[in-house]
Amino acid sequence: MDQTEVMLCMDIGGTNCRIGLCDRSFALHEKEIVSTERMTENGFSSALVTLLRTFLSRCKERYSVRGISLGFPATIDKARRTVLQAPAIPGVDNLAVCDLLEREFHLPVWLEKDVNLLFQYDLQFLGLPSEGLLIGIYFGTGIGNAIFFDGKPFMGRNGVAGELGHIPQLGNERECACGNVGCLEPFGGGKRLNELCRNVFSEDSIRTIYRDHRETEQVRAQIDAMAIAVATEVNILDPEYVVLGGGLLQMEGFPTETFEERIRRYVRKPYPERNLRLVYSRPNQENGIIGAGIYGWAQIDRK
């Protein structure tokens, strides 16, 4: 029986880890979702190895796996070999993921920030040009940011560029999960909505907070923080396109018009505001896995 060539892809999030096999046409096979919390109970690295070993053994008869491509919600070293810090996942700071998995499975392993893989997907499936400077901003538990120039991610000196959620705010003394004080993310990310549901809208579910409370002062302030994050980067970089996505924008009742109005309020006039191009990511929980496939196959083709 002929085997299908595939990339083993994994999108690791703070809540769930999604795994699947991505072929060269970027179609997914053998998809699976695992709780991230469950994987951290007895050590994330050992759980990751066990999960991949089980997954590979189940698929080895039908598929030829060419490599492993993973995305982490984390800062990653410039060589793209080691997770430096992942506040949402206990036990992975300074984890040399590529070395670990290459020893275990004798396959090439590629590592990238999860948001860059989401953006790889959007570049491909939204038909956006690779030339010039494009940015992606994704609002989920935190604020993810991809900065691409001529089709390649901008990494910075240490590999950790694009930490948009960690812009310090004047007068903000709140401690962030990253360890710093004053970051924007605790006000513009999904953790703020969880906090509001616990302390302000205690009778409500986070799933309907935008639908039922988007006119309240507290929710409008959270939307404002999201808009400030977008406008800040637009004012600095003047990008060709801004891709907006993430789970918050897909929630029921999300006030898209208000969000865009607030972005345009804070973006400098007349330019870049006059030519600002906002596009939206396609809502799909598989985007990160497919993005990992796009990234992994690109590494194979460069060899």
Side-chain angles (χ1 to χ4, degrees):
M1 182 175 65
D2 291 338
Q3 292 181 315
T4 303
E5 282 196 331
V6 292
M7 185 70 55
L8 195 164
C9 301
M10 196 165 179
D11 178 21
I12 297 163
T15 303
N16 290 308
C17 297
R18 292 178 170 84
I19 186 170
L21 302 174
C22 186
D23 64 28
R24 278 197 172 270
S25 66
F26 309 130
L28 280 179
H29 309 262
E30 309 293 333
K31 295 172 289 186
E32 187 176 333
I33 300 176
V34 180
S35 163
T36 304
E37 182 179 5
R38 195 180 85 189
M39 290 188 63
T40 61
E41 289 175 353
N42 298 306
F44 185 88
S45 58
S46 60
L48 177 62
V49 169
T50 300
L51 173 64
L52 294 181
R53 183 180 292 120
T54 302
F55 192 86
L56 285 168
S57 65
R58 191 173 70 236
C59 301
K60 64 182 180 181
E61 299 298 327
R62 288 168 291 163
Y63 301 97
S64 172
V65 178
R66 295 291 307 279
I68 301 172
S69 182
L70 308 99
F72 269 84
T75 53
I76 297 171
D77 71 324
K78 193 166 186 175
R80 289 334 202 212
R81 304 281 300 173
T82 299
V83 174
L84 298 178
Q85 185 194 44
I89 306 176
V92 301
D93 289 3
N94 300 308
L95 177 64
V97 173
C98 293
D99 290 345
L100 169 68
L101 298 183
E102 285 174 353
R103 282 197 307 269
E104 291 287 338
F105 301 108
H106 307 289
L107 289 167
V109 178
W110 296 284
L111 174 67
E112 195 36 283
K113 289 171 61 175
D114 61 342
V115 68
N116 284 344
L117 301 182
L118 287 171
F119 197 61
Q120 292 271 12
Y121 175 92
D122 285 329
L123 288 177
Q124 178 84 20
F125 288 94
L126 293 177
L128 297 177
S130 59
E131 297 80 14
L133 181 64
L134 291 84
I135 64 175
I137 303 174
Y138 300 84
F139 295 93
T141 303
I143 301 174
N145 182 211
I147 304 171
F148 274 51
F149 185 71
D150 286 347
K152 297 179 181 179
F154 176 74
M155 294 190 288
R157 179 182 180 184
N158 300 294
V160 298
E163 289 298 306
L164 184 60
H166 302 285
I167 295 170
Q169 290 183 302
L170 186 65
N172 172 15
E173 296 299 322
R174 182 169 182 168
E175 184 173 350
C176 179
C178 75
N180 273 5
V181 171
C183 295
L184 177 64
E185 186 168 274
F187 294 93
K191 286 185 178 180
R192 176 58 177 159
L193 297 182
N194 279 315
E195 187 178 79
L196 289 175
C197 282
R198 286 196 309 270
N199 301 329
V200 181
F201 310 118
S202 57
E203 301 300 318
D204 295 270
S205 163
I206 190 172
R207 293 190 298 272
T208 58
I209 191 169
Y210 286 129
R211 185 194 70 187
D212 297 338
H213 301 287
R214 61 184 178 183
E215 298 303 325
T216 63
E217 178 184 351
Q218 295 89 345
V219 173
R220 288 180 71 89
Q222 190 268 335
I223 295 291
D224 216 43
M226 294 170 66
I228 286 170
V230 176
T232 297
E233 187 155 276
V234 169
N235 286 342
I236 294 170
L237 297 179
D238 187 19
E240 299 287 339
Y241 287 89
V242 180
V243 177
L244 300 171
L248 298 196
L249 275 64
Q250 299 164 20
M251 288 171 61
E252 183 180 0
F254 180 80
T256 303
E257 289 185 8
T258 300
F259 180 45
E260 289 193 11
E261 182 274 321
R262 302 306 284 177
I263 291 171
R264 290 185 177 278
R265 178 187 179 194
Y266 293 119
V267 172
R268 186 167 172 78
K269 283 61 164 195
Y271 298 102
E273 193 273 336
R274 187 173 296 174
N275 285 337
L276 180 61
R277 292 187 284 200
L278 304 175
V279 294
Y280 286 84
S281 176
R282 294 179 178 177
N284 190 335
Q285 293 185 340
E286 298 172 352
N287 292 5
I289 316 177
I290 298 171
I294 295 169
Y295 177 63
W297 284 117
Q299 306 313 304
I300 290 276
D301 292 341
R302 286 195 186 107
K303 290 187 175 182

